[in-house]
Amino acid sequence: MTDVDTSAPTVAPSGDDTPAFIAPVAMENDPDALFAGDRGILDADVRRVLVRILQRRFLLAESSPAEWKLLLEHQQMIESRLNDLFVRLVVDHDRGVAYKEQVRSDEVDVPILLKDEAYSRAETLVLVYLRTVFQRETTAGAPSARVDVEEVEQTVLTYFAESDGTRASQQRAVRTAIARLDREGIIEEESEGRYRIGPLIEIVLSAEVLRELQRWLEEQTTDAEAPEAVASLPEEQTA
C-alpha cells in the first residue's frame, strides 16, 4: 500500500490547481471561529438570541431586555437564518414580544420543523378567563390587569363536570395550568397567589377566538363533545 503524503494538497485529476478537499482552519488561525470547524458568521451573542428564539415560545422585551436589544439590532440577519429553516420571525414592537411561526405553503414543499401543540382543557379555560379580565380592565382604562388564584379557580371550576374527577384533582389541574402560563410569561406572579396578566395574552388568544370560546361557554350544558372543542385550541408553534 502506498502512503498518502498529507503534507501536500490533493488536486483534481483534471489538472486544475484547486484543492479537491479543503482542510478545516485551526481555531488559532481563525480568530472569528467559536469552535473547531465553525463556518458561522454571527457573533456569539447574536447566535445565542437565535437559539433562544428557537428554544422558547416567546422572547419578551420586559424580561430579557439585553436579548431584545440584540434581536432588534440584528433582526434582518436573524430573520434570514430562520427563513433558511422555513420559519418566520414575528416581532410585535408594541407589546414587546417576538415569536416564531412555521411557514406553510401550497406552492413550495416545506419540511415542517415546528409542531402544533394543544393547550389542555384546564389551560384553555384559564386562558379564556385571563383574556376576559385583561380585555375588561384595559378597555376600562386600567394600566394593567391582575387576578388572584382563588378567583381564577372559582370561575374555571364551574366549567368542570363531575366526570372530570374530584374537586381536588380539578383544583390541581387549574393550579398546574396557572404555573405553566407563568413560566411562559403570559402571567407574572407579583406576590403569593396574585398575578399580573401581560399583553402576551392577546397574542396567545385572539379576540376572535375568545369570542368563539365565550359563546361556547355560554351555550354549553352537558354536551360531552364540548370539552374536546376547548382542548383542541392550538398553541403557538414550538420547536
Side-chain angles (χ1 to χ4, degrees), residues 102-118:
Q102 177 68 57
V103 172
R104 300 179 187 275
S105 173
D106 295 331
E107 291 76 28
V108 180
D109 182 14
V110 177
I112 303 301
L113 176 66
L114 308 180
K115 61 183 178 180
D116 289 328
E117 295 181 355

Side-chain angles (χ1 to χ4, degrees), residues 21-50:
F21 303 99
I22 301 176
V25 179
M27 288 187 65
E28 58 269 22
N29 297 327
D30 188 356
D32 294 329
L34 300 180
F35 50 86
D38 181 18
R39 292 291 179 266
I41 63 173
L42 299 180
D43 292 339
D45 289 342
V46 181
R47 296 189 197 193
R48 293 188 185 98
V49 173
L50 176 59

